Amino acid sequence: AQRVTQPEKLLSVFKGAPVELKCNYSYSGSPELFWYVQYSRQRLQLLLRHISRESIKGFTADLNKGETSFHLKKPFAQEEDSAMYYCALPSGGSYIPTFGRGTSLIVHP
Amino acid sequence: DTGVSQNPRHKITKRGQNVTFRCDPISEHNRLYWYRQTLGQGPEFLTYFQNEAQLEKSRLLSDRFSAERPKGSFSTLEIQRTEQGDSAMYLCASSLIGGGGTEAFFGQGTRLTVV
């Protein structure tokens, strides 16, 4: 069965520090992976997807099929990056988005 | 606002009462999802519609839950005989499958509290 694992519930860093939010997945086939973000009092929204291979708000994520990982990285965290981050994987032939439990990122001034 | 819209935003109900939530997806989207989210968890899939057809239901969706999407437009999620364990945020999302991507667009959710 497809599964997304985010091992950290909370990640706390200081402004300017590097950030890495971990995501591991289990999937039979070629996965399409996403990172969603939810800022305080806002709706869940897409941050980036691996197939577009782009950097959004300074964040990047590389799909590592050997390690079945899709970690989200940013070299210099900003206070406005504080949010809940969810890794997601469209599951099965129906492509139903399946989410990890989320990691709360807190960036201190 | 052309995003996904959910009503009501908050609902407090007594145990045993029935509640109904509404979701208006992005108009051209053919797929609509319902999720439930509890504290400390990510969104958990409940059910989805492709146009007006309900194609899959999660094991989480007990017999007390029913969802409809008449005419393939808005959707309703009804919970009958609510229980305290039903207290959660109920999220609706829509997407355009076949349009080149599988990104889901979420509404702001309906927070249900069963007292």
Side-chain angles (χ1 to χ4, degrees), chain A residues 73-86:
Chain A
K73 300 177 184 179
K74 184 169 182 176
F76 308 104
Q78 302 299 314
E79 289 177 67
E80 56 265 30
D81 295 329
S82 296
M84 282 295 299
Y85 291 82
Y86 297 93

Side-chain angles (χ1 to χ4, degrees), chain A residues 3-109:
Chain A
R3 191 182 310 135
V4 175
T5 303
Q6 293 181 251
E8 304 142 328
K9 289 184 71 172
L10 173 66
L11 188 60
S12 181
V13 301
F14 286 99
K15 177 182 172 182
V19 167
E20 181 179 66
L21 291 88
K22 293 183 169 52
C23 172
N24 290 91
Y25 66 90
S26 61
Y27 189 84
S28 54
S30 294
E32 182 185 2
L33 283 143
F34 299 82
W35 277 99
Y36 284 78
V37 62
Q38 187 167 28
Y39 301 103
S40 179
R41 296 188 181 84
Q42 293 188 28
R43 66 186 69 197
L44 196 59
Q45 59 187 290
L46 181 69
L47 179 62
L48 56 80
R49 69 186 80 188
H50 91 272
I51 58 172
S52 58
R53 306 180 71 83
E54 55 191 346
S55 172
I56 304 293
K57 299 184 178 183
F59 284 97
T60 58
D62 290 320
L63 179 62
N64 185 322
K65 291 186 179 180
E67 296 182 358
T68 59
S69 68
F70 187 56
H71 301 330
L72 184 67
K73 300 177 184 179
K74 184 169 182 176
F76 308 104
Q78 302 299 314
E79 289 177 67
E80 56 265 30
D81 295 329
S82 296
M84 282 295 299
Y85 291 82
Y86 297 93
C87 185
L89 169 71
S91 295
S94 301
Y95 295 99
I96 299 168
T98 298
F99 291 83
R101 67 172 180 178
T103 297
S104 175
L105 174 65
I106 299 175
V107 182
H108 300 281

Side-chain angles (χ1 to χ4, degrees), chain B residues 5 23 32 44 77 95 98:
Chain B
S5 176
C23 172
L32 186 149
E44 297 172 294
L77 178 68
S95 65

Side-chain angles (χ1 to χ4, degrees), chain B residues 9-67:
Chain B
R9 295 286 307 279
H10 304 273
K11 179 72 177 178
I12 300 174
T13 190
K14 291 184 177 179
R15 189 176 54 183
Q17 297 294 304
N18 299 344
V19 295
T20 300
F21 310 141
R22 177 180 170 124
C23 172
D24 288 272
I26 293 172
S27 58
E28 63 268 25
H29 284 183
N30 51 15
R31 189 172 279 196
L32 186 149
Y33 306 92
W34 284 100
Y35 287 84
R36 184 176 70 184
Q37 187 172 24
T38 53
L39 197 63
Q41 299 296 323
E44 297 172 294
F45 169 73
L46 293 178
T47 188
Y48 89 93
F49 293 82
Q50 182 89 7
N51 300 310
E52 68 274 9
Q54 187 174 17
L55 295 185
E56 192 164 332
K57 292 191 252 188
S58 158
R59 291 173 293 132
L60 293 176
L61 210 69
S62 77
D63 291 344
R64 296 183 297 106
F65 287 68
S66 62

